[in-house]
Amino acid sequence: MGDLNNIKRACGFYVSGVHLVTMVLPYIKKQIKDKIKIETFFEYNLKENSDIVLENLIINNKEKEKILNINWKNSKIKKYSSIEKRIKNVLEKNKELNILISGSEKYINEINKMLDKFFNKYYNKLNHKYITIINCYEVTEFDDNIKEILDFHEYILNTSGMHKIEEIFEDYKKKVIN
C-alpha cells in the first residue's frame, strides 16, 4: 500500500460472537455519536449476537436502533468489484470510515488484500479521508502466529477502547526491537 498516513490498522481478539459484539460495542457507539460511518465485512452472521447483547443493555432506543442498523450479517465477498463499489460509495459521502472485519484468518487476509488494492487504486483521492481498519480474530481460528498479526497492526481494540499495541502488550515493542 502507498504511504498513506491516514489509514490505520487495529486488531482485536474474541472468543465468541457475543464477546466480539460486546468488545466492539463501546467503540461503535462512540463512532456513531461522532457520525463516523462504519462498514462491516463479517464472515459469520452476528445479527443474533448483536440482538442478544443490545437486549441486555440499558441505552436509549435511538442509540440502539442506530447500532442495530449496522450490517451485522455475514458478507461473503468473493470479488474485488464488490468491495470497490461499497467503499467508494461510502468515501464519496464521508470523510471518515471505520471498516470492521471479522472471521477466519483467511477471510480477514482476503478482505485486507482487496482493501489494499482499493487504496492503491484510489491513492490520490484518499488524501483527505481517514480510514480505520479493525481486523477481529477469533482466538480459536488462528494458529500460533499472534506476533505476525500484531506486526500487521498499529493498534488493538478491546472493551476499553483503541490502544497502541505496546500499551496492551508492554513487552511487545522490546521483543520486536531485539
Side-chain angles (χ1 to χ4, degrees):
M1 181 171 46
D3 189 25
L4 286 172
N5 294 327
N6 52 338
I7 298 174
K8 65 181 179 181
R9 292 185 193 268
C11 59
F13 302 95
Y14 64 95
V15 295
S16 69
V18 169
H19 180 237
L20 172 61
V21 173
T22 303
M23 178 182 72
V24 299
L25 201 55
Y27 183 80
I28 288 173
K29 189 176 170 187
K30 183 183 180 325
Q31 299 309 297
I32 289 172
K33 182 181 176 196
D34 293 343
K35 296 182 171 53
I36 297 172
K37 181 71 175 146
I38 299 169
E39 275 298 307
T40 62
F41 295 95
F42 295 141
E43 184 174 17
Y44 310 109
N45 191 340
L46 294 170
K47 179 73 175 123
E48 188 176 313
N49 294 307
S50 64
D51 290 343
I52 290 168
V53 171
L54 286 167
E55 186 177 296
N56 293 301
L57 285 181
I58 301 171
I59 59 173
N60 70 50
N61 286 336
K62 193 174 185 178
E63 280 182 308
K64 194 178 283 193
E65 184 180 318
K66 287 179 181 179
I67 293 167
L68 288 171
N69 280 336
I70 292 171
N71 182 17
W72 293 100
K73 296 180 180 174
N74 64 329
S75 39
K76 301 276 185 178
I77 303 295
K78 299 286 185 199
K79 296 184 202 173
Y80 166 75
S81 59
S82 301
I83 283 188
E84 181 180 35
K85 184 178 178 183
R86 273 177 70 179
I87 301 301
K88 190 175 177 185
N89 287 338
V90 172
L91 287 175
E92 284 176 0
K93 300 171 192 161
N94 299 279
K95 184 177 178 175
E96 293 185 58
L97 171 63
N98 283 284
I99 301 171
L100 189 57
I101 305 166
S102 171
S104 66
E105 188 174 8
K106 180 182 176 190
Y107 179 80
I108 291 170
N109 289 340
E110 287 175 15
I111 298 296
N112 275 274
K113 283 178 189 171
M114 288 186 225
L115 288 171
D116 285 348
K117 182 177 178 180
F118 175 85
F119 298 143
N120 286 321
K121 183 175 182 179
Y122 293 99
Y123 180 81
N124 292 330
K125 294 182 180 184
L126 296 173
N127 287 336
H128 300 290
K129 305 291 184 175
Y130 299 94
I131 301 158
T132 301
I133 301 167
I134 304 168
N135 296 308
C136 298
Y137 298 85
E138 185 171 5
V139 293
T140 59
E141 286 287 324
F142 64 89
D143 297 321
D144 297 327
N145 59 344
I146 191 164
K147 184 186 175 316
E148 290 173 21
I149 291 170
L150 293 174
D151 288 348
F152 184 67
H153 302 86
E154 305 160 66
Y155 300 88
I156 191 162
L157 179 69
N158 60 27
T159 51
S160 68
M162 183 93 60
H163 305 277
K164 286 268 195 196
I165 289 174
E166 302 86 49
E167 294 173 13
I168 303 299
F169 298 107
E170 293 174 7
D171 291 337
Y172 173 73
K173 193 165 194 144
K174 293 175 193 168
K175 289 179 183 177
V176 171
I177 292 170
N178 295 330

